[in-house]
């Protein structure tokens, strides 16, 4: 079977790595890929959102299965377009992906189907939003409706900060159309957990739990990033939470989407917060998480291609998905300055030493080849991922590997998975 993975980050490297382990994969391609991916798959120089070019390539190469990594092509309807051509693709339609691409739609769905989430109001006008905010108690959360690369969420502690956030979104229009509407919601307290689930429109099968580390600095300080590390499983995600998340959140969401005529097929990613009253939804994403995928997929025992095909063919209930009883930790190594300005083009040294280490892999994100050397080409550069019997051992293994590599101005958090060990 010929498989094409779309995207170029650590998540896509992990998908390619897992797919190449399947005896069913005869040839694997990635568009556009990165330096690490090019060692496992044939990289194709087509951007992830060039839908027409991707269709041409898929038809010409007779690709049997395409897997979408990032949200942008989903939001532009890549799955709808592939389906129109009769091409097999894993991911939700544009309409179903609205659960990620419109926070207003997501909140509407949650409210309509009684799914636990923060109380909220939607505004199209910043003055009306401010009038409402004046009557609430701080902190509050202000969110852009549309996609904003993880930068459209503001936790505000006073009126001044609320005004600044609304100005950024609605007056300066920093995220364009994405900020045309905003959601203002109550601030929830608790630990965050990411639950990614396979979904074929009817059946939903959660994967093992994971936790992202969104802030740039240790102990969750500083601005948000795409994610600075992750671990799996999450020790405080008890069996009781697990049951409640399935029954109170995942199943009703999938059912609600179906009733709304937006049948959901693909990976449904629930960003949850475990509050005193129970688990609540912070957001949904319409795809695998990054860096959550880097710690979840190494623990998957079942052939990933079998699962992806079962989702496409509506027979997820027929397969038994199995997981290793171990733990995984991913430490993201970033370019100094990220998530602000940073330099590219730094030579990465020591990667060959990592290849000799056991139970670990350096998943590439912003890397490329230049003159036979691997150089940095993005903010998040590598996701050094290790697995072992316990989180503590996996963490030790991952950090040991991080210390074997180097590039100028490299930065990483020193406290990934610490919360799970104490
Ligand atoms: P989102 O993109 O909606 O997941 O928001 C990004 C991050 O902002 C989350 O991972 C949380 O850390 C934080 N956040 C979002 N909504 C809330 C909320 N209602 N209460 C507390 N923190 C929140
Ligand atoms: N780890 C956050 C995300 O994938 O959106």
């Amino acid at each position: 079977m010929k498989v094409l993975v779309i995207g170029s980050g650590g998540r896509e490297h992990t998908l390619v790595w897992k797919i190449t382990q399947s005896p069913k994969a005869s040839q694997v391609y990635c568009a556009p890929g990165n330096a690490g991916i090019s060692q496992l798959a044939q990289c194709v120089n087509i951007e992830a959102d060039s839908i027409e070019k991707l269709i041409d390539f898929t038809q010409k190469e007779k690709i049997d299965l395409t897997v979408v990594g990032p949200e942008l092509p989903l939001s532009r309807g890549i799955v709808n377009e592939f389906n129109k051509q009769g091409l097999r693709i894993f991911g939700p339609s544009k309409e179903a992906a609205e659960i990620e691409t419109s926070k207003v739609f997501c909140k509407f769905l949650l409210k309509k189907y009684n799914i636990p989430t923060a109380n909220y109001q939607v505004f199209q006008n910043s003055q009306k939003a401010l009038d409402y905010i004046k009557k609430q108690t701080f902190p509050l959360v202000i969110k852009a409706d549309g996609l904003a690369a993880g930068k459209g969420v503001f936790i505000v502690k006073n009126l001044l900060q609320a005004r600044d956030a609304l100005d950024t979104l609605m007056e300066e229009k920093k995220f364009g159309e994405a900020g045309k509407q905003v959601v203002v919601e109550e601030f929830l307290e608790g630990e965050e957990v990411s639950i990614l689930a396979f979904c074929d429109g009817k059946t939903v099968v959660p994967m093992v739990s994971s936790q992202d580390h969104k802030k740039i600095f240790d102990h969750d300080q500083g601005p948000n990033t795409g994610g600075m590390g992750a671990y799996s499983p999450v020790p405080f995600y008890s069996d009781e939470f697990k049951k409640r998340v399935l029954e109170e959140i995942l199943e009703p969401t999938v059912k609600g989407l179906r009733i709304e005529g937006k049948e959901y097929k693909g990976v449904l990613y629930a960003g949850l917060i475990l509050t005193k009253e129970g688990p609540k939804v912070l957001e949904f994403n319409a795809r695998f998480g990054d860096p959550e995928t880097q710690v979840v997929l190494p623990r998957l025992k079942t052939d990933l291609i079998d699962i992806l095909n079962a989702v496409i063919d509506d027979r997820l209930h027929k397969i038994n998905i199995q997981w290793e009883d171990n733990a995984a930790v991913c430490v993201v190594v970033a370019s100094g300055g990220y998530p602000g300005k940073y330099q590219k083009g730094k030579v990465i040294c020591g990667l060959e030493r990592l290849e000799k280490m056991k139970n670990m892999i350096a998943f590439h994100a912003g890397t490329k080849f230049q003159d036979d050397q691997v150089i940095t080409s993005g903010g998040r550069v590598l996701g050094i991922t290790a697995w072992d019997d316990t989180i503590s051992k996996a963490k030790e293994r991952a950090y040991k590997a991080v210390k074997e590599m180097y590039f100028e101005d490299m930065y990483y958090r020193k406290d990934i998975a610490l919360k799970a060990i104490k």
Side-chain angles (χ1 to χ4, degrees):
M1 180 179 272
K2 284 178 154 188
V3 185
L4 167 67
V5 174
I6 295 176
S8 60
R11 163 184 51 208
E12 288 76 19
H13 191 180
T14 315
L15 283 164
V16 164
W17 174 75
K18 200 71 193 175
I19 287 167
T20 51
Q21 287 167 15
S22 166
K24 296 190 170 106
S26 56
Q27 205 164 357
V28 183
Y29 300 84
C30 188
N34 60 35
I37 294 174
S38 72
Q39 289 169 321
L40 297 173
Q42 195 175 320
C43 289
V44 191
N45 193 14
I46 306 176
E47 286 307 316
D49 59 342
S50 295
I51 298 178
E52 272 175 36
K53 286 188 186 160
L54 290 167
I55 288 179
D56 279 350
F57 176 79
T58 307
Q59 287 172 330
K60 211 165 79 211
E61 292 298 326
K62 299 196 166 45
I63 302 291
D64 300 293
L65 170 66
T66 299
V67 187
V68 188
E71 61 277 19
L72 192 61
L74 296 171
S75 74
R76 305 233 169 114
I78 190 168
V79 172
N80 309 51
E81 296 307 317
F82 268 58
N83 284 337
K84 269 187 214 157
Q85 303 292 330
L87 300 168
R88 284 174 74 79
I89 185 161
F90 178 87
S93 67
K94 180 180 178 166
E95 295 73 27
E98 261 185 48
I99 196 152
E100 167 168 7
T101 60
S102 168
K103 289 199 190 281
V104 171
F105 169 69
C106 177
K107 295 297 280 194
F108 155 82
L109 187 91
L110 294 171
K111 194 169 179 183
K112 182 164 174 187
Y113 295 93
N114 253 323
I115 299 160
T117 189
N119 293 323
Y120 76 103
Q121 290 286 330
V122 177
F123 297 94
Q124 281 96 21
N125 172 298
S126 63
Q127 191 52 50
K128 287 203 174 123
L130 265 182
D131 291 344
Y132 168 80
I133 287 169
K134 279 180 193 153
K135 291 181 225 130
Q136 308 302 309
T137 41
F138 289 102
L140 285 169
V141 187
I142 302 179
K143 299 182 176 185
D145 172 41
L147 291 180
K151 294 183 185 119
V153 175
F154 299 82
I155 294 169
V156 295
K157 299 197 177 90
N158 52 50
L159 203 57
L160 199 67
Q161 288 180 357
R163 198 168 277 145
D164 279 350
L166 290 169
D167 278 350
T168 306
L169 294 175
M170 305 189 97
E171 306 304 326
E172 294 158 26
K173 300 190 172 67
K174 193 160 169 213
F175 303 104
E177 288 289 298
K180 218 172 151 190
Q181 299 190 87
V182 296
V183 170
V184 178
E185 66 178 33
E186 69 174 318
F187 178 83
L188 298 175
E189 257 172 291
E191 277 296 336
E192 286 181 46
V193 175
S194 301
I195 301 298
L196 282 57
F198 292 109
C199 182
D200 68 0
K202 292 181 189 72
T203 306
V204 53
V205 182
M207 304 183 211
V208 287
S209 61
S210 58
Q211 190 182 48
D212 186 7
H213 295 59
K214 287 203 169 83
K215 305 277 188 207
I216 185 72
F217 300 127
D218 285 5
H219 310 296
D220 298 331
Q221 301 296 308
N224 264 346
T225 68
M228 293 303 293
Y231 66 87
S232 171
V234 179
F236 38 82
Y237 188 62
S238 62
D239 285 347
E240 195 210 324
F241 275 132
K242 203 169 155 180
K243 187 169 179 285
R244 290 187 65 177
V245 166
L246 185 64
E247 290 171 3
E248 295 172 23
I249 294 174
L250 294 172
E251 287 177 343
T253 299
V254 169
K255 195 171 167 199
L257 282 162
R258 207 168 67 236
I259 297 170
E260 297 299 316
K262 296 173 194 267
E263 188 179 71
Y264 195 97
K265 286 163 87 83
V267 168
L268 181 64
Y269 162 149
L272 305 171
I273 187 155
L274 308 178
T275 73
K276 279 193 199 124
E277 294 131 53
K280 295 191 181 183
V281 177
L282 287 180
E283 64 162 349
F284 276 112
N285 292 317
R287 50 175 172 78
F288 282 99
D290 189 339
E292 287 93 330
T293 306
Q294 288 85 313
V295 291
V296 168
L297 287 189
R299 302 188 56 213
L300 177 65
K301 277 206 231 171
T302 309
D303 189 322
L304 181 59
I305 290 192
D306 285 345
I307 306 174
L308 302 178
N309 277 325
V311 165
I312 294 176
D313 298 330
D314 300 342
R315 47 177 177 77
L316 193 53
H317 60 288
K318 294 229 173 94
I319 66 170
N320 177 17
I321 301 179
Q322 292 189 311
W323 300 91
E324 301 282 355
D325 185 21
N326 63 356
V329 172
C330 168
V331 177
V332 169
V333 179
S335 301
Y338 172 80
K341 282 206 180 99
Y342 56 84
Q343 290 183 349
K344 296 181 186 175
K346 309 284 185 193
V347 176
I348 306 173
C349 311
L351 287 174
E352 64 294 341
R353 282 199 289 277
L354 303 193
E355 278 164 25
K356 295 192 192 94
M357 298 174 86
K358 277 205 186 119
N359 292 0
M360 68 79 49
I361 177 162
F363 289 123
H364 289 225
T367 69
K368 66 177 189 186
F369 274 115
Q370 193 177 66
D371 306 327
D372 283 338
Q373 288 181 311
V374 180
I375 62 166
T376 64
S377 67
R380 291 191 293 172
V381 177
L382 295 160
I384 308 285
T385 306
W387 49 94
D388 210 316
D389 301 341
T390 63
I391 289 182
S392 171
K393 285 193 209 163
K395 170 177 174 272
E396 233 169 82
R397 214 180 256 284
Y399 276 108
K400 196 168 161 217
V402 169
K403 295 200 174 86
E404 291 292 325
M405 49 139 318
Y406 173 80
F407 59 86
E408 199 187 317
D409 289 338
M410 79 179 218
Y411 171 79
Y412 58 93
R413 272 179 66 160
K414 314 285 187 299
D415 66 340
I416 303 301
L418 204 62
K419 248 188 234 174
I421 295 166
K422 273 191 286 190

